[in-house]
Each structure stands twice: as structure tokens, then as C-alpha cells.
Amino acid sequence: MAKYQAKREIKIPAIKDGTVIDHIPSRITFKIMRLIDPQEYNHTINLALNLNSKKMGKKGIIKLSSRKLTQDEVNKISILAPNATVSIIRDYAVKKKIEVKIPRLIEKIVRCSNPNCITNAEDVRTRFSLVSKEPFSIRCNYCERAMSRDDIKLN
Amino acid sequence: MGGKFKGRDIISIRDLSKADLLAILDAAKKLDQKPKRDLMVSKVLATLFFEPSTRTRLSFMSAMERMGGKVLGFENTEVTSVKKGETLWDTIKMVAQYADVIVQRHPTEGAARLAAEASSVPVINAGDGANQHPTQTLLDLYTIRKEKAKLDNLNIAFVGDLKYGRTVHSLCIALSHFRTKLYFIAPEALQMPKSYLGDLDNKKIPYIVEQDLMKVAPDLDVIYMTRIQKERFPDPVEYNKLKGVYRIDKSLLGHTKKDVRIMHPLPRVDEINTDLDDFPQAAYFRQAGNGIPVRQAVIALVSGMM
């Protein structure tokens, strides 16, 4: 175990201050990276995927130096990766774990996959209601179309 | 009764509880049995039809005018500011100043919900794309109750295009409040979407998925026929394969209960032979007529006049 941990440290260096998003399904790690919008970000980002995980088989991890996530960003993560963990790091230690929880009402952050939905025709703030967590399903409050995680496009 | 509905929008059948449904049906029954010619004398109904639908528009107009109310509106956006690029939001904000109730038909799904958010007066959805048409569902429900004198313990079959049929989806949601058994009769390619079957599973509503109407015909109390809708098919070859798959005529009555009722949201093409029209089992024209008391009830309730 210790040997494995040591290897992992080499792959993904620890950060002094910032945020770690762990337990991301490997295939959506880049999606999570995109929604964090690294273009506006000048500090170090460590990203790895297909890491071995006891819980998940394979997982992704993102470490953001000197960066806090907004609640909006955590909400977005919760929709794409409900089992991810978000930790605030201070001086190389976990200071706080933020609970990633899918909101019952998802406002603004998801775009409706129905091309004939009014939200894609007029300037409307999108709203979706959570139908079920497993299998994941949300319903557009306007056109009532149900969407699975695979259908989701973020605003 | 009115207190509960006054000021309320009627956008989706999903918004209506069982108690709401029954309250509307009861109000419709009252108006059906004892019409009130001056109930809406002081009120104005705006009918905003962003796409043509003569039947629904005339039905709403007739409902309002038979209660003494006034109707204004349009049936073609070519003559409105929509043509100049006005948003739906602004159109509704403006019309809400002129009318006490707005009825809206729009080709875009979710447009009714947006209109309701913009409007200071109640909005009734008269169809938003392939999504909802709640007064159609209410009149279907009213027809079943009127014809069969109950809504529980009935075997109800939906036949034809169950995949794209908006009326089927909504009626299915409404019926899930009652103790019914549902039969879905369609070719595999046009069967009921899984999400609706999942909703029925969650509510423990028994149902049967079948392709052959004759197999189940003797069990049925209501047969709800639908048109295979050419306009919904991306591929005309697929349409031609499926269009004539269910055609019923008076010979069907030899296989059903005597008091079966045949319904159809209309218009029909060739799925019901006209030789059935004069039989008491044919309820589809009575069903269309039931749109009047049901729409009267909805208008009167949301405007607080009942």
C-alpha cells in the first residue's frame, strides 16, 4: 500500500494550497476540467486519469493550486460526477471537504438537449428538476424532456 | 372551488393532482348540465395561436362566447409583432394588459411555461409543440367518466402511434391517478416510450404491451385510437410501412364488450371506418363536443368566476 501511495505521489504531486477534486470517473475528467475554465487560471493544475482506485476501478483526479471553487462549479461537478470529492487544501493538509450534492433544482448550468425547447430559442434561464439520482435523470421544467447524464450539455 | 384555481396557469397535466383533475371535471359537468350564459360577461379571453389549430382555437372561442365573454387574438403570427422579431416574453407581457385569461398555442416546447412566467394573468396551454395539451387530456378524461360513469376499474387501450402521440402520453399520466389497467397496442417501432412505462411501474399501474388489438379486444372498456402522424416521421418509407397497420370498422364490435367506447382525439385519416360512426360505441364526436364544457370550466376556474 505504502509503495502504491508513493508511486501515486510521483504521478500527481501534492499541492500546498488549493482544491483537489478526486474520485472522478476517468472518462469525464476532461469534461470536469473544461467546466472549471482553466483559461482564466495561471496557477499549476495537475490532472491525471485512469488511476487505479479500490472504489471505482479507474478514476481521475484534478489538483488546482491556489484556487477555490465556486458553489456553481461544485454544482456542475455534482451533475457530471455525483461521487466526486472536493477537498480544500491548506499547507499540504485537507482543511475541509465540500459535500458534492446534486441539487433538486438545477438552474442555469445545463442546456436542454431538445432543439425545439423554448430555452434554446429565447433568452431563458434554464431550470431542470432532478427526477432520479440512479439512474441519473433530470427533467427540463419548460419542455419536460427527461435527460440522462449522457445527454447533458453544460451552459 | 374557484379559490383553488383563481389565477392559476394550466400548463401541463403533470401540474394537476387527482383532486385538481376531479374538481375540473366536476365544474365541467355543472356547466354541461346547466350552461351559464353570462358567467364571463365582464371578461376578455386572448387566444394567441402562433401556429394554426382551427379546432382548438374555435373550441376555446366557442367556450368563452357561450359564457358571454369576449375573445380577441390572432391565428397567424404574420400579422403580429412576432414578425418584427418581438420575443414571446414581450408579446405576453403586452397581451396580459389587454385580457383576463390567455390561451396560447405555440410550436415550441416549453413556450407555455415561459408565457406563464411572463404573464400577470392566467395562461392556458393549448399545445406547445410535441409537449403538452392539457385541456385535450381533460376532455378525454371527462369523456371517459361521462361515457363509463367512472374512472376507476377500467381497461383502457391506446392504439396506433404511441411513440409520438402527445395525447396518449398526457392521458396516460392523468389516468395513472386512477385504478385503471392500460393496454398499449402498437407496432414495436411506435410503442410507448420507456420513460412513461417507468412512471407507470413506479405508480404500480398495471399495463400490457401488445401488437394485436384483437387479442385483447374482449377485455376492453375504452379503445383510444390515434392517427399514425405522417408529420412526425423523419423517413417517409417508415411511414408508409406503418400507416395502415390499425384500421377498425364495425366488425370490431363483434369482438368487444357491448358497452365498449371508442375514442379518438381527431382528426382521423383512415384508422376508423365511417361505418362505425353511427354506433353508440363511437364516442369520438361526443368527445370533441366535450371540449366545450371542459374549456369553459378551465377558463371560469382560473379567472375566479366559478
Side-chain angles (χ1 to χ4, degrees), chain A residues 114 116 118 122 127 142 144, chain B residues 12 14 88 109 117 131:
Chain A
N114 175 5
N116 197 36
I118 192 75
E122 292 216 4
R127 283 207 309 274
Y142 289 90
E144 304 189 15
Chain B
S12 168
R14 290 181 199 275
L88 174 63
E109 287 139 43
E117 287 173 4
N131 184 29

Side-chain angles (χ1 to χ4, degrees), chain A residues 112 114-125 127 131-132 137 139-146, chain B residues 11-15 86-89 106-111 113-114 117 128-132 195 199:
Chain A
C112 186
N114 175 5
N116 197 36
C117 176
I118 192 75
T119 59
N120 290 316
E122 292 216 4
D123 184 20
V124 184
R125 203 161 113 151
R127 283 207 309 274
V131 178
S132 75
S137 176
R139 193 188 304 282
C140 174
N141 282 15
Y142 289 90
C143 74
E144 304 189 15
R145 181 170 292 191
Chain B
I11 304 302
S12 168
I13 209 72
R14 290 181 199 275
D15 300 339
E86 185 176 57
T87 61
L88 174 63
W89 183 270
H106 201 285
T108 310
E109 287 139 43
R113 186 79 66 193
L114 184 65
E117 287 173 4
D128 59 334
N131 184 29
Q132 286 278 330
S195 64
D199 289 345

Side-chain angles (χ1 to χ4, degrees), chain B residues 44 46 48 72 89-102 118-122:
Chain B
V44 175
L48 311 186
L72 53 83
W89 183 270
D90 284 1
T91 304
I92 297 297
K93 281 273 179 207
M94 189 261 308
V95 173
Q97 310 296 316
Y98 306 156
D100 300 291
V101 180
I102 294 173
S119 178
S120 55
V121 301

Side-chain angles (χ1 to χ4, degrees), chain B residues 1 25-35 142 306:
Chain B
M1 187 183 283
L25 300 193
D26 289 345
K29 187 178 174 186
K30 271 188 193 167
L31 291 168
D32 204 356
Q33 290 173 342
K34 200 176 171 193
Y142 183 76
M306 203 174 175

